[in-house]
Amino acid sequence: MQQQGNRFFFNVDWITVLIYIALCAIGFINVYASIYNPDKATGFDFSSSYGKQLIYVITGLILGLSILLFDGRLFNVFAPFIYGATLFLLVVVLFVGRNVGGNQAWIPIGSFRLQPSEFAKFGTALLLARYVSTFNPKFRDFKSIVIAGLIVLAPLLLIMLQPDTGSALVFLAFMFPLYREGLSGYFLLIFLGMIVLFVADFLVPTYVLVLILTTIGGLFIYNNRRKQKIIISTVLVTIIAIAYLFVVKIAYEKVLAPHQRSRIELMLGLKADNKGAGYNVIQSQIAIGSGQATGRGFLQGTQTKYGYVPAQSTDFIFSTIGEEWGFMGCSIVIGLYLFLLLRLINLAERQRSTFSRVYGYSVACILFFHVFINIGMTIGIIPVIGIPLPFISYGGSSLWSFTILLFIFLKLDSNRMGFI
């Protein structure tokens, strides 16, 4: 028994656990600062946001350490059931969910609000890892790509129905673990091409883009006029690209909410709205810029103290860090994330089992998307799509789901000498 306990202690990557604790502590301190009001300063209040966040942090740590006591093989066995349960919750929220900020994404449970889309991320990661490890698919054939795509698309589409575009976009992160397992690099090029065409569709008239694509396709066909397969492929790609341009326009006008359209237009410089949709970003930039090198000091941020930045304890928590802790504080936070991501990739690469490796890369990619998008939107280089900063933003669902996501991998890594 003593030998098992020692093996458990040494096999767990406690450095990653310490990074997790550090980020959670930073989160609690800045959630407290984001809602601090010197005119109404009282003792510690567990009913306040910072009090609840402390409870979320403590219970999250207990939850994470409890996961380390499980048999790692259980996550492989129960992956389909966990995935199915998260899909069920995503369906339930469409009928009984509470609408907050235009998104029907939360299931009310007393005073707590459960957000199923957060938990769907680790459920999807588990099933995708099980599929790859069990069937050893070759991602050069159409069937394997379709099955893996359906695993990711099912929760993505359900989340889009809420509609929560930000959380849905995070599921695109699963493309990169599949690339590690053999998915053709052409899919990454297609993904980048879709982004370029999406942006171009707003900056250039659609008929001009159609003319450009047709011309490029025609020239490519002419240069390969004796290669029938290349000609057929070029025609199909050109038709799909042109169709995509019109789909983007339709989706933009019919699917996206007005505030989402405004955020895209602001990012692309198509309009200026300092008091409407652009207000959050402008105030966030002012807060971060005012921190300068070392920050204004804990509880000394004027943008923070007087509530100029909306959603400052959740989506815009990084503006609090920037204002009160300055460039140094931002660098420390980004450095911790960078160290965590590099360590997770290193841990994933050393796994002996495919299941653990795919899951590890999924964890790293999901966290990267969240960090990049959240910080990007607070400094104005990405549209505001409303996703939390991992382990730092206020909220029980996000903190617990990220904790489960991370600690499942730490458990799998602790069993890397076995075969899971």
Side-chain angles (χ1 to χ4, degrees), residues 121 137 207 339 348 402:
K121 294 166 190 173
Y207 71 89
F339 185 39
F402 285 127

Side-chain angles (χ1 to χ4, degrees), residues 131 139 141-153:
Y131 168 66
F139 289 108
D141 63 270
F142 184 72
K143 180 181 178 181
S144 300
I145 295 173
V146 168
I147 294 175
L150 290 175
I151 292 173
V152 176
L153 282 175

Side-chain angles (χ1 to χ4, degrees), residues 58-70:
I58 294 173
T59 53
L61 182 59
I62 294 172
L63 177 62
L65 295 176
S66 299
I67 289 173
L68 297 179
L69 300 177
F70 281 87

Side-chain angles (χ1 to χ4, degrees), residues 208-222 238 242:
V208 174
L209 292 175
V210 171
L211 180 61
I212 293 173
L213 290 172
T214 304
T215 302
I216 294 174
L219 292 173
F220 197 78
I221 290 173
Y222 178 77
T238 304
I242 293 173

Side-chain angles (χ1 to χ4, degrees), residues 180-234:
R180 167 62 180 81
E181 297 303 316
L183 185 67
S184 173
Y186 285 117
F187 285 92
L188 296 181
L189 291 176
I190 291 172
F191 176 62
L192 293 175
M194 291 174 65
I195 295 176
V196 171
L197 286 177
F198 180 87
V199 174
D201 210 9
F202 292 97
L203 303 179
V204 181
T206 303
Y207 71 89
V208 174
L209 292 175
V210 171
L211 180 61
I212 293 173
L213 290 172
T214 304
T215 302
I216 294 174
L219 292 173
F220 197 78
I221 290 173
Y222 178 77
N223 291 330
N224 296 274
R225 54 187 177 276
R226 296 182 180 179
K227 300 176 182 178
Q228 186 176 4
K229 290 184 177 180
I230 294 180
I231 292 174
I232 295 174
S233 299
T234 303

Side-chain angles (χ1 to χ4, degrees), residues 5-70:
N6 291 337
R7 187 173 58 189
F8 165 80
F9 181 83
F10 287 111
N11 283 355
V12 173
D13 188 68
W14 293 105
I15 293 178
T16 301
V17 175
L18 289 176
I19 298 173
Y20 162 82
I21 293 174
L23 289 171
C24 289
I26 291 171
F28 169 72
I29 291 171
N30 285 281
V31 167
Y32 178 84
S34 68
I35 65 170
Y36 176 76
N37 187 338
D39 298 327
K40 299 180 180 179
T42 59
F44 196 88
D45 181 9
F46 279 103
S47 64
S48 65
S49 295
Y50 63 82
K52 292 179 181 178
Q53 186 69 5
L54 180 61
I55 295 174
Y56 297 149
V57 169
I58 294 173
T59 53
L61 182 59
I62 294 172
L63 177 62
L65 295 176
S66 299
I67 289 173
L68 297 179
L69 300 177
F70 281 87

Side-chain angles (χ1 to χ4, degrees), residues 240-261:
I240 292 172
I242 293 173
Y244 174 73
L245 294 175
F246 290 98
V247 169
V248 167
K249 287 292 187 182
I250 295 173
Y252 177 77
E253 296 173 358
K254 303 295 184 182
V255 178
L256 295 182
H259 69 279
Q260 293 172 325
R261 294 197 295 268

